[in-house]
Amino acid sequence: MTVIVMEVKNVEKHPNADSLKVYTMQSPGSPPTQVIANLERTYEVGDLVLVAQVNSVLKDGTKIKATKLRGIVSYGMALGKTELPMGQDVSKTYCQQSVVQSVQMQRWPSVELLHNVRRSLIVLEATPVVTYRAKIKLDGTNAGVQIFTDGRVAAQSRSQIITPDDDNMGFAHWVSQHMDYFTALADHEHITIFGEWCGQGIQKRTSISQIDRRIFTVFAIQYGGVENEVAKLEVNPAPISQLLPSHPDIFVLPFLGEPLTLDFGNRDQLESAANSINQFVSEVEQIDPWVKATFGIEGLGEGLVLYPQSQTRVDRLTYPELMFKAKGEKHQVVKTKQPVQLDPEFVKSIDEFVALMVTPARLEQGLTESCQGPLDMKQLGGFLKWLAQDVQKESKAELETAQLAWKDVNKAVTNAGKSWFRDRILSFSDIAQ
């Protein structure tokens, strides 16, 4: 069902917006659904309301998604009161009847730096106390495997569904070779296994690239996220390991080190915690402890990802907003003074902004994410598009601090990327000769 008649069970004012109300709605045999609506249409407890659920597509083309509005998630859209009986499915009246059926990407969320997490919390006037657990950040390429309840399997990169004929570093080909392993995981819930595809020939900078093969290192599993399901994440290594049978090329990343608590309402405590994390990152950058323990290879590590501690599955939409990453100096895509700091860097000019944001690590990542096969100038457009989107997404705090807008720096970012890309092609040409 995509649009059904629900009863209003509860009404509350939105705590962060006077123009919004938070409704709890429910139909027989279904769990409660939280819906946020503005004051153009208001509802009372006991009203019957037409509710478009997540992933429904209305006749005007509107696709209903879970959306966060001033800190609270809405899992549908209220379309108005009705006199129809509660629980009735009215999808034929309100929804498109011919939606193309294809595999939908289940994207791994973008993980921010700590100062961006803190900035978002300041906007919401939120000061949570959060206990974190760290996992090694491996230098490879983001990958995922979707497993449908009917046994279908789909491979994906960070940005698209991939196949052996349209691949990303051979990941889809590897998945196709191990199809029996993945189809055996099909159950009553759709799952997406998120991990890093890393090892021989994928990157060149860290110790993981020195192993003798390519491996899939799993850091999270998503449950749901298709049709009308609300997605949940499992990030704890133990239940992930229980789900995944032993495989020589599949590893579950463990938590590393002890839990660390951050009090976002106490700057002194945050500074102390940040110093501890920076020391941890420095140690990882010198020798990746997981690679050493697992493969006996000593060498450079990329950094850490910090996960809020939870004993149960967590909400896919809200949980990642408190995650943050901390990369060592050689892997920083933003050239901050420290891997973890509370405030964004202040730049005095556009040139300083470009030096801060257009780093070698980001440019190398852009090649991996946007270019396949032998490097040539035909791939420049895709590379520059990726670079602009990535910098714009991660530089909001730095632009705001410098009192700059994206239109002020866009051309300079593009020119820097173009120059680097051309130099890279020339260096490849020299090596080939």
Side-chain angles (χ1 to χ4, degrees), residues 1-3 52-53 55-64 79 89-101 228:
M1 294 184 289
T2 53
V3 177
Q53 297 179 294
N55 289 330
S56 58
V57 181
L58 304 182
K59 286 190 173 179
D60 64 1
T62 300
K63 184 171 183 179
I64 308 302
L79 304 180
D89 181 359
V90 290
S91 302
K92 290 184 178 180
T93 303
Y94 291 91
C95 293
Q96 293 183 11
Q97 298 303 305
S98 57
V99 179
V100 176
Q101 298 299 314
N228 296 322

Side-chain angles (χ1 to χ4, degrees), residues 216-227:
F216 185 41
T217 54
V218 178
F219 47 73
I221 291 181
Q222 176 178 298
Y223 291 83
V226 296
E227 297 178 351

Side-chain angles (χ1 to χ4, degrees), residues 6-268:
M6 292 187 174
E7 182 182 4
V8 178
K9 296 294 187 180
N10 188 55
V11 184
E12 295 180 1
K13 290 182 62 177
H14 194 297
N16 303 316
D18 293 337
S19 62
L20 300 175
K21 285 193 174 183
V22 182
Y23 297 92
T24 301
M25 304 192 184
Q26 192 170 15
S27 61
S30 298
T33 299
Q34 180 171 280
V35 176
I36 298 175
N38 59 33
L39 299 183
E40 291 181 6
R41 288 179 176 174
T42 59
Y43 309 101
E44 305 295 335
V45 172
D47 285 347
L48 297 180
V49 179
L50 300 165
V51 179
Q53 297 179 294
V54 171
N55 289 330
S56 58
V57 181
L58 304 182
K59 286 190 173 179
D60 64 1
T62 300
K63 184 171 183 179
I64 308 302
K65 299 180 180 180
T67 305
K68 196 168 188 181
L69 300 171
R70 299 296 299 273
I72 296 181
V73 182
S74 179
Y75 295 100
M77 177 184 289
L79 304 180
K81 296 179 185 179
T82 182
E83 296 181 358
L84 295 170
M86 183 166 50
Q88 182 167 330
D89 181 359
V90 290
S91 302
K92 290 184 178 180
T93 303
Y94 291 91
C95 293
Q96 293 183 11
Q97 298 303 305
S98 57
V99 179
V100 176
Q101 298 299 314
S102 60
V103 176
Q104 178 183 346
M105 268 291 297
Q106 301 295 320
R107 296 179 184 273
W108 179 246
S110 177
V111 179
E112 300 285 355
L113 297 173
L114 177 60
H115 69 261
N116 285 326
V117 172
R118 181 169 174 265
R119 174 176 174 268
S120 297
L121 291 172
I122 289 173
V123 170
L124 293 172
E125 298 182 351
T127 56
V129 177
V130 184
T131 299
Y132 285 91
R133 299 300 308 272
K135 293 184 184 182
I136 288 291
K137 191 176 194 315
L138 291 170
D139 193 17
T141 184
N142 187 272
V145 181
Q146 292 190 51
I147 303 169
F148 293 77
T149 57
D150 60 7
R152 288 179 296 144
V153 174
Q156 60 183 48
S157 65
R158 177 180 293 278
S159 58
Q160 65 183 30
I161 300 298
I162 55 178
T163 67
D165 295 325
D166 183 18
D167 212 341
N168 180 38
M169 295 293 178
F171 182 68
H173 177 71
W174 177 83
V175 171
S176 69
Q177 290 181 315
H178 299 88
M179 195 64 71
D180 289 347
Y181 176 94
F182 292 109
T183 55
L185 297 174
D187 202 349
H188 64 284
E189 290 185 275
H190 177 280
I191 65 172
T192 304
I193 306 170
F194 288 112
E196 197 79 3
W197 179 235
C198 52
Q200 191 177 66
I202 295 179
Q203 300 287 3
K204 300 178 181 179
R205 297 169 289 180
T206 62
S207 57
I208 192 64
S209 65
Q210 299 174 35
I211 68 174
D212 60 358
R213 64 192 191 277
R214 295 181 177 183
I215 61 172
F216 185 41
T217 54
V218 178
F219 47 73
I221 291 181
Q222 176 178 298
Y223 291 83
V226 296
E227 297 178 351
N228 296 322
E229 300 171 324
V230 174
K232 296 286 186 179
L233 285 179
E234 178 61 77
V235 300
N236 290 300
I240 295 175
S241 297
Q242 290 171 6
L243 175 72
L244 300 179
S246 176
H247 188 287
D249 297 330
I250 298 177
F251 296 82
V252 177
L253 280 178
F255 287 133
L256 187 67
E258 298 300 317
L260 181 67
T261 298
L262 273 67
D263 182 352
F264 285 92
N266 184 331
R267 186 180 178 95
D268 290 341

